[in-house]
Amino acid sequence: MFVKLYRRMQDEAAHGERRVMKAGWFLKDEKSSLIWDAPKPVSFSHDKPATSKSAVSCPAAIEFDRRHYAIPCPIDLHLRLVKNAQGQLQLTNIEGPQASTRPAGLQQILMMSPQNEWRHPGRPMLQLVTPYVFVSDDPLYVNQFPPFLHYEACQRPGVMMCGRFPADIWPRAHMWAFEWHDTTKDLILKRGEPLFYVRFEGGDPAAPLRLVEAEKTEELVSFMRSLTDVTNFVNQSFQLFKTARERRPKTLLVEKKRAR
């Protein structure tokens, strides 16, 4: 089915027809979901340029920006790494009792990876669990990037781990993974500012994409359960893509209908 769809996309591209690709997003969990905003298309407000040759009017730049969607940060965080009595690095919330997020709530979404799972022994790995899931019935890959198009007044003291996987056969919740390079500097995150970007890629790079809110159907939820925690049993989850493609329901993406 997917081979035929991909070939049809190639035929449409060859004849100048641009098929609109569609991806869906939803929140895996409903608990405290109000803190998580909808993905926002990346766009910027600028004053009217003095010349038509202004960078503001550059079609290549506009096209590039609009293909990215920003995932807003859900909470305010001011974190610092300190060493305990055993010399191990631990996370400290600098705002303490004045923090908007209670320690119990923070522990539910924020964690430090075990040291043996770090990419470098001197660079701690921090993970923020998000409920965002992207799904498609088109052969689309979802890419996760740091928010490099936005200016950060407080530059993050490390790098975000990026990744990509097929949204049509691997609808899973995204993690924000951060590798802390300069452990002498604080990590500051602001609610509402971009936490990361997502971008979709399909067979035709010129095809437009429509991102919609998806319905959590029984078929979709059941298929997601089959993917849950598979990394506890295999080292390379990508080896399961073939099986996932064979077992996926015909339709996973059902656009959510808004009440009128």
Side-chain angles (χ1 to χ4, degrees):
M1 179 179 71
F2 291 95
V3 173
K4 291 181 179 178
L5 179 58
Y6 179 74
R7 288 175 177 171
R8 189 179 74 187
M9 290 164 54
Q10 289 181 315
D11 292 339
E12 290 170 347
H15 291 85
E17 300 174 10
R18 297 303 180 196
R19 180 176 175 273
V20 177
M21 312 296 285
K22 186 162 76 169
W25 73 273
F26 63 95
L27 301 178
K28 181 181 178 182
D29 302 312
E30 295 181 1
K31 182 179 179 181
S32 305
S33 61
L34 288 180
I35 69 172
W36 303 95
D37 292 335
K40 300 177 180 178
V42 173
S43 62
F44 302 95
S45 297
H46 300 285
D47 294 334
K48 185 176 180 180
T51 171
S52 61
K53 303 301 182 182
S54 169
V56 175
S57 305
C58 176
I62 295 172
E63 170 75 2
F64 185 84
D65 290 355
R66 74 177 181 84
R67 287 181 176 269
H68 294 82
Y69 294 86
I71 305 300
C73 184
I75 55 178
D76 291 315
L77 278 179
H78 186 167
L79 302 176
R80 183 175 298 167
L81 288 171
V82 296
K83 289 187 178 181
N84 60 18
Q86 291 73 39
Q88 298 172 324
L89 290 172
Q90 291 184 333
L91 278 177
T92 298
N93 191 344
I94 294 302
E95 296 179 343
Q98 300 300 319
S100 58
T101 305
R102 289 177 173 169
L106 196 58
Q107 290 175 3
Q108 294 178 23
I109 64 172
L110 186 71
M111 66 192 74
M112 182 86 79
S113 298
Q115 188 169 1
N116 62 355
E117 296 181 7
W118 299 355
R119 294 195 298 187
H120 187 280
R123 299 170 187 165
M125 293 291 300
L126 189 66
Q127 294 190 75
L128 180 68
V129 182
T130 89
Y132 293 97
V133 181
F134 296 93
V135 63
S136 181
D137 288 325
D138 294 315
L140 288 177
Y141 267 74
V142 56
N143 298 268
Q144 187 176 0
F145 300 104
F148 56 87
L149 295 172
H150 285 78
Y151 174 74
E152 293 180 336
C154 297
Q155 188 172 0
R156 298 170 186 176
V159 296
M160 185 193 113
M161 284 192 65
C162 303
R164 66 187 291 271
F165 52 85
D168 55 310
I169 60 169
W170 210 253
R172 46 153 287 191
H174 279 253
M175 301 282 286
W176 179 75
F178 183 76
E179 187 177 61
W180 207 317
H181 281 233
D182 190 344
T183 56
T184 67
K185 294 182 178 179
D186 295 351
L187 172 63
I188 299 174
L189 301 175
K190 296 291 186 181
R191 172 170 167 77
E193 293 183 354
L195 182 64
F196 61 86
Y197 294 158
V198 293
R199 175 174 171 158
F200 301 89
E201 58 176 290
D204 179 8
L209 180 124
R210 181 168 168 253
L211 182 63
V212 301
E213 187 171 2
E215 193 74 58
K216 284 196 291 186
T217 63
E218 292 183 7
E219 291 82 2
L220 176 55
V221 172
S222 175
F223 185 65
M224 286 183 61
R225 280 200 294 265
S226 72
L227 312 177
T228 302
D229 294 335
V230 294
T231 53
N232 291 335
F233 305 96
V234 296
N235 289 330
Q236 299 294 329
S237 57
F238 278 28
Q239 66 182 279
L240 301 175
F241 283 178
K242 182 176 182 294
T243 304
R245 179 167 283 109
E246 292 171 349
R247 295 185 183 179
R248 80 181 298 280
K250 182 179 180 180
T251 300
L252 284 176
L253 174 54
V254 175
E255 186 172 349
K256 190 171 186 177
K257 303 298 183 183
R258 288 296 181 183
R260 295 183 176 179

